[in-house]
Amino acid sequence: MELICPAGTPAALRVAVEAGADAVYCGFRDETNARNFPGLNFNRDELRTAIRFAHQRGAKVLVAINTFPRAGALSLWHEAVRDAVEAEADALILADIGLLDYARRRYPKQRLHVSVQAAAANPDAIRFYTEMFGVRRVVLPRVLTVQEIAAITKETVCETEVFVFGGLCVMAEGRCSLSSYATGKSPNMQGVCSPASHVKYEARNGRIVSRLGDFTINAFEKDEPAGYPTLCKGRFATEHGAGYIFEEPVSLDAAVILPALRDAGVTALKIEGRQRSRAYIEGVVRSFRAALEALDAGMPVETAALARMAEGQTSTVGAYRKTWR
Amino acid sequence: MLSTVPTLPPIIALAIRPLPLMPLQPLLALLVQRIKQHHPGIFERLDCHAEKRFGIDPTDLPFAFVLEPQRLRPRLFAVRTLPTDLDVRIGGSFACLTGLIDGDLDGDALFFSRDVVIEGDIEAVLALRNAIDDAQVDMLGEALGPLSQWKGPVRRILEEIVRVLTLFDRIATRA
């Protein structure tokens, strides 16, 4: 299985390649990708240099252009597709049907992947993307069990890529409106979930209170690990009591089920975290590279001590083994 | 689990508290000029956030820093207490803050473990963190300037001093 690693900056990309990534995914410094954070991402020159660096070392670069274009502003997304192709990206990761159609017609030889933002979660949906746009790989949403992934892989001609570590989005990705509801901005359109412009942290007697727009998301006690200020990981008071309504602050770590994912026919394993540092990327990529080497050698897969990297310092295998509450 | 990053022994803060900050200021000015010269990409990544004022508070030292990255005239200076009109305040142990700059530690992980506390303009915090992480600033090397080839021995001496003082502090605390 291929190891697909994140990079938010050229330095992070170099670290990912040196740490053992088969491919690195990244995006441009604008709203065309779903990690449009301040100070993050690549300008055109940086992308060309990064792709050369990766290719010289046998690694691929996949460019995420995975937000949904705004009406009247298509040129920004079309230019991103053109510039990524001209920079010799190994694949484009797209979510929007119109953009997939544009890329297929304009650059028929370019390899296309379906982003997780397309929420393609069943064989019919995936077949549509392969038949209409010739996509070669689909990144599956983080809401499927291993058995469902195995069934999908068996029924489709398309390669499948699944997340194995990092931020755990528990929603139908590309369709979630929680961030829009609170801030007017979303990962789907502006490339930002819970945008930093709307986040506030307040220290109150040792507690940290996180706020998003007009909403209090959480209050962490003095000795309690913290999490991101997203509505889906918020702790709320309801008529049924106070607690986490959707999901707790927790990260995905699927290292223990790598053998099951291999048996399910998965082609590529994806690490989330383009917004994270070089230290995170080096630690996580090296850990999963070692796990894959152990798997290939028929050795037991060691679960590395990555909990300190996890949101809330807690890990889960998420929907891969989800039992509904 | 929470924190896994060590803090400086209190004896260090106690020892340097009476010292004046004045001699530190030209060294900090020189440091920030060297960083500007060797890492111009930081300012491009900071974009409009270069005009913001950042308070950096090493919680185990008796002073703090104010950083004004302004593209043309960046400034870094030490203060006894952070002013109240800053855009951002970043607090954490000296080891946490230097680990972030050196790229040895992950900012989000330090936030999850409560080792680092941030307040104010979170966009500016992210821009600064991402700009520094990409720049791969060698803080000790930049601080030593032309003597940077001695970085390894200097680092080992500093680590040894901290180790001895930590030991001394533990013994003194027990007594």
Side-chain angles (χ1 to χ4, degrees), chain A residues 192-239:
Chain A
V192 278
C193 179
S194 304
S197 54
H198 290 67
V199 172
K200 276 200 181 113
Y201 296 110
E202 294 164 16
R204 293 184 196 162
N205 305 322
R207 297 169 92 207
I208 292 286
V209 177
S210 59
R211 292 180 58 78
L212 179 69
D214 294 333
F215 296 88
T216 299
I217 301 294
N218 216 327
F220 299 102
E221 296 298 331
K222 192 171 182 294
D223 294 322
E224 191 179 14
Y228 289 126
T230 52
L231 276 168
C232 60
K233 309 270 181 75
R235 187 158 38 181
F236 304 105
T238 71
E239 59 191 26

Side-chain angles (χ1 to χ4, degrees), chain A:
Chain A
M1 290 183 288
E2 291 176 30
L3 188 57
I4 316 295
C5 306
T9 63
L13 180 141
R14 293 191 294 271
V15 165
V17 171
E18 302 287 0
D22 292 307
V24 182
Y25 65 103
C26 55
F28 287 122
R29 213 182 289 178
D30 56 35
E31 62 193 288
T32 60
N33 78 93
R35 285 287 184 272
N36 179 24
F37 293 5
L40 207 66
N41 293 321
F42 291 64
N43 64 30
R44 268 53 176 175
D45 285 341
E46 287 171 341
L47 183 72
R48 278 191 291 271
T49 307
I51 289 175
R52 268 200 305 276
F53 176 89
H55 285 175
Q56 283 164 1
R57 287 155 184 80
K60 294 176 181 166
V61 176
L62 322 178
V63 179
I65 309 171
N66 57 348
T67 48
F68 296 86
R70 270 183 293 116
L74 283 172
S75 60
L76 185 63
W77 280 262
H78 289 176
E79 284 164 15
V81 168
R82 179 196 67 199
D83 294 345
V85 172
E86 287 179 359
E88 299 184 9
D90 295 282
L92 309 186
I93 308 171
L94 309 177
D96 180 70
I97 289 171
L99 203 60
L100 278 158
D101 182 61
Y102 172 82
R104 172 51 56 225
R105 288 172 194 273
R106 201 65 182 262
Y107 305 101
K109 290 182 181 165
Q110 179 65 49
R111 183 180 170 96
L112 303 179
H113 293 181
V114 176
S115 167
V116 68
Q117 286 284 95
N122 60 63
D124 287 339
I126 295 167
R127 204 169 295 122
F128 170 76
Y129 288 108
T130 53
E131 288 175 4
M132 294 301 293
F133 313 117
V135 302
R136 308 280 295 278
R137 182 180 295 177
V138 61
V139 184
L140 295 175
R142 286 161 272 198
V143 294
L144 300 166
T145 62
V146 174
Q147 290 78 8
E148 287 167 335
I149 290 169
I152 286 171
T153 304
K154 201 174 172 185
E155 279 193 51
T156 55
V157 293
C158 188
E159 296 172 358
T160 53
E161 180 173 311
V162 300
F163 283 91
V164 288
F165 192 87
L168 181 64
C169 181
V170 292
M171 299 298 170
E173 291 180 63
R175 312 283 187 267
C176 175
S177 294
L178 284 175
S179 180
S180 299
Y181 178 67
T183 70
K185 293 185 174 182
S186 75
N188 318 328
M189 303 297 290
Q190 289 80 22
V192 278
C193 179
S194 304
S197 54
H198 290 67
V199 172
K200 276 200 181 113
Y201 296 110
E202 294 164 16
R204 293 184 196 162
N205 305 322
R207 297 169 92 207
I208 292 286
V209 177
S210 59
R211 292 180 58 78
L212 179 69
D214 294 333
F215 296 88
T216 299
I217 301 294
N218 216 327
F220 299 102
E221 296 298 331
K222 192 171 182 294
D223 294 322
E224 191 179 14
Y228 289 126
T230 52
L231 276 168
C232 60
K233 309 270 181 75
R235 187 158 38 181
F236 304 105
T238 71
E239 59 191 26
H240 303 294
Y244 293 102
I245 304 298
F246 303 109
E247 181 59 278
E248 295 167 15
V250 65
S251 286
L252 177 70
D253 185 352
V256 292
I257 58 164
L258 290 184
L261 292 172
R262 180 192 54 188
D263 295 345
V266 165
T267 302
L269 307 172
K270 186 166 210 155
I271 294 167
E272 186 276 347
R274 280 194 281 144
Q275 75 285 11
R276 302 290 290 264
S277 67
R278 287 181 283 128
Y280 167 93
I281 287 168
E282 177 156 30
V284 178
V285 175
R286 282 199 192 287
S287 169
F288 273 88
R289 172 51 61 202
L292 283 176
E293 283 172 2
L295 193 65
D296 289 344
M299 308 282 285
V301 174
E302 299 273 334
T303 52
L306 293 173
R308 67 194 162 85
M309 294 292 189
E311 183 176 5
Q313 297 190 320
T314 309
S315 298
T316 174
V317 290
Y320 296 135
R321 274 189 202 153
K322 189 86 172 179
T323 50
W324 293 99
R325 283 187 291 201

